[in-house]
Amino acid sequence: MTKTLDFYFDFYSPYGYLAHYKIDDIAERYGYQAQWHAILLGPAFKAVGSKPLLDIPMMGAYSAHDFARTARLDGVPFVMPATFPGATLAAGRAFYWLQDQDPALAKRFAKAVFKAAFAEGQDLLQVANIKAIASAEGIDAQALEAAIQTEAVKERFKTAVQASLAKGVFGSPFVMVEGEHFWGNDRIPQVEQWLARGGW
Amino acid sequence: MTKTLDFYFDFYSPYGYLAHYKIDDIAERYGYQAQWHAILLGPAFKAVGSKPLLDIPMMGAYSAHDFARTARLDGVPFVMPATFPGATLAAGRAFYWLQDQDPALAKRFAKAVFKAAFAEGQDLLQVANIKAIASAEGIDAQALEAAIQTEAVKERFKTAVQASLAKGVFGSPFVMVEGEHFWGNDRIPQVEQWLARGGW
């Protein structure tokens, strides 16, 4: 049986975006499958008494520079989305609506959403953009729009966010493997070491 | 002429401790010399509206685990100091008092202070401990104790802390090289890449 690791991310997290390029490859290299979980950083910031990096004195300017510098080192495109930060509700709801039907499709959609935001600078808060991203992945955009307005799908995402907090997820990206927690794109190399060695 | 990089740290910073083992080797490998700067995280936390990691909900427990886990991966000892956090005034003042006389000795002293705190768990807030660490490095502990009580030496450290904030240092460890800022032990691999490639 394939072992699982859990990958938590906010669609508007620059470091989540950087990590999303790597996590599946690393997992598969060591016989794991990455289970993706969309979350919202807003409730996590509230839980730890923090706020979006760019809104923090000194750290904000540093972070903006660091996002782009790290992306260049990784060899991936990077721009800031048209609106930022924000609660990526439509994307998160759509992700779980898809995951409950077809997990592989949900993951492809999530990758497309990340690229729309941070490779193309799209505004994820516009439902029209989420629909267009979905359409390009062969998803019925009208059905998606209808679904994410239902209480059931709203509740699905809300429950997932609450469950992540209950498990100790306070940032993005955040990886859990065999009870071990790793926070941040910076910890992806440690995640890889952990999988390779079975801990240390 | 040897090129210089600047290495800022708080003596009570676990990630500063982890970085201190590596920074000189990395600098020297690429023809740089690391200039060490003791700072205090208290004023930096105030500037960015943060507080000691261990005092933050969720993040505190994670960080305590992460300090030790990262130290194990690096193959270095790690314990928490007897008192923590705290303003390492005596160690910082002693560091600059020594630096103004003998920069190489100041660096040896700083390394001994870090090891006393995080390899042995010593309480750096006790001046007696700072004196004992100094003595073991061949420093006149009575002269040190007298010096760190003078206004001139107190002011020297205070000015250094203020200067670090003015330059944008908001955490520990923090590295500056040719105007490029790198925050955190996590960024030491990027510092090395930067030195090796001359940027990217």
Side-chain angles (χ1 to χ4, degrees):
Chain A
M1 199 183 124
T2 306
K3 294 170 285 186
T4 299
L5 67 77
D6 293 290
F7 174 63
Y8 295 84
F9 59 92
D10 180 316
F11 280 116
Y12 254 0
S13 160
Y15 293 123
Y17 161 76
L18 293 173
H20 104 277
Y21 282 110
K22 297 173 269 189
I23 195 68
D24 280 340
D25 284 350
I26 289 171
E28 285 162 22
R29 196 171 307 146
Y30 300 99
Y32 284 76
Q33 187 162 25
Q35 173 84 17
W36 290 32
H37 305 264
I39 61 163
L40 289 174
L41 277 177
F45 287 145
K46 200 171 171 186
V48 300
S50 185
K51 54 186 173 181
L53 277 170
L54 296 186
D55 295 346
I56 300 174
M58 299 174 86
M59 210 179 279
Y62 172 84
S63 298
H65 185 76
D66 186 65
F67 299 157
R69 183 175 62 191
T70 301
R72 288 201 311 277
L73 185 61
D74 285 356
V76 298
F78 185 80
V79 291
M80 288 301 289
T83 58
F84 185 89
T88 54
L89 290 165
R93 289 166 182 164
F95 173 79
Y96 286 103
W97 174 67
L98 289 165
Q99 194 173 63
D100 291 342
Q101 304 168 61
D102 182 344
L105 179 61
K107 200 181 272 194
R108 286 204 304 279
F109 168 75
K111 291 177 183 183
V113 171
F114 263 136
K115 289 189 186 73
F118 292 105
E120 298 167 17
Q122 287 191 36
D123 177 355
L124 296 187
L125 307 188
Q126 299 300 319
V127 174
N129 290 339
I130 303 302
K131 287 171 67 181
I133 295 163
S135 280
E137 295 298 319
I139 297 158
D140 180 338
Q142 296 306 325
L144 179 148
E145 185 173 25
I148 65 174
Q149 294 177 55
T150 64
E151 281 310 308
V153 171
K154 288 180 180 178
E155 194 62 26
R156 176 78 173 86
F157 186 33
K158 191 177 174 184
T159 303
V161 173
Q162 288 171 337
S164 74
L165 284 167
K167 285 185 177 168
V169 176
F170 57 81
S172 166
F174 204 101
V175 173
M176 288 190 194
V177 55
E178 288 143 15
E180 204 70 19
H181 295 194
F182 296 92
W183 170 43
N185 182 50
D186 301 322
R187 285 289 170 282
I188 299 295
Q190 286 198 8
V191 170
E192 180 161 11
Q193 289 282 317
W194 197 270
L195 301 186
R197 303 182 184 195
W200 61 78
Chain B
M1 200 182 124
T2 306
K3 294 169 285 185
T4 299
L5 67 76
D6 293 289
F7 173 64
Y8 294 85
F9 59 92
D10 180 315
F11 279 116
Y12 254 179
S13 160
Y15 293 123
Y17 161 76
L18 292 173
H20 104 276
Y21 283 110
K22 298 173 269 189
I23 195 66
D24 281 340
D25 284 350
I26 288 171
E28 286 162 21
R29 195 170 307 147
Y30 300 100
Y32 284 75
Q33 187 161 25
Q35 174 83 20
W36 289 32
H37 305 265
I39 61 164
L40 289 174
L41 277 177
F45 287 145
K46 200 170 169 187
V48 300
S50 185
K51 56 185 173 181
L53 277 171
L54 297 186
D55 295 347
I56 300 175
M58 299 173 85
M59 210 179 279
Y62 171 85
S63 298
H65 185 75
D66 187 64
F67 300 157
R69 184 174 61 191
T70 301
R72 288 201 311 278
L73 184 61
D74 285 355
V76 297
F78 185 81
V79 291
M80 289 300 291
T83 58
F84 185 89
T88 53
L89 290 164
R93 289 167 181 164
F95 173 78
Y96 286 102
W97 174 68
L98 289 165
Q99 194 173 62
D100 292 341
Q101 304 169 61
D102 182 345
L105 180 60
K107 199 181 272 196
R108 286 204 303 280
F109 168 75
K111 291 177 183 183
V113 171
F114 263 136
K115 289 190 186 71
F118 292 105
E120 298 168 17
Q122 286 191 34
D123 178 355
L124 296 187
L125 307 188
Q126 299 300 321
V127 175
N129 290 340
I130 303 302
K131 287 171 67 181
I133 295 162
S135 280
E137 294 298 320
I139 297 158
D140 181 338
Q142 296 306 323
L144 180 147
E145 185 172 26
I148 64 175
Q149 293 178 53
T150 65
E151 282 310 309
V153 171
K154 288 180 180 177
E155 193 63 25
R156 175 78 173 84
F157 186 33
K158 191 176 173 184
T159 302
V161 173
Q162 288 170 338
S164 74
L165 284 168
K167 285 184 176 168
V169 176
F170 57 81
S172 166
F174 204 101
V175 174
M176 287 190 195
V177 55
E178 288 143 16
E180 205 69 20
H181 295 195
F182 296 92
W183 170 42
N185 181 51
D186 301 322
R187 284 290 170 282
I188 300 295
Q190 286 198 7
V191 169
E192 179 161 12
Q193 288 283 315
W194 197 269
L195 301 185
R197 304 180 182 196
W200 62 78

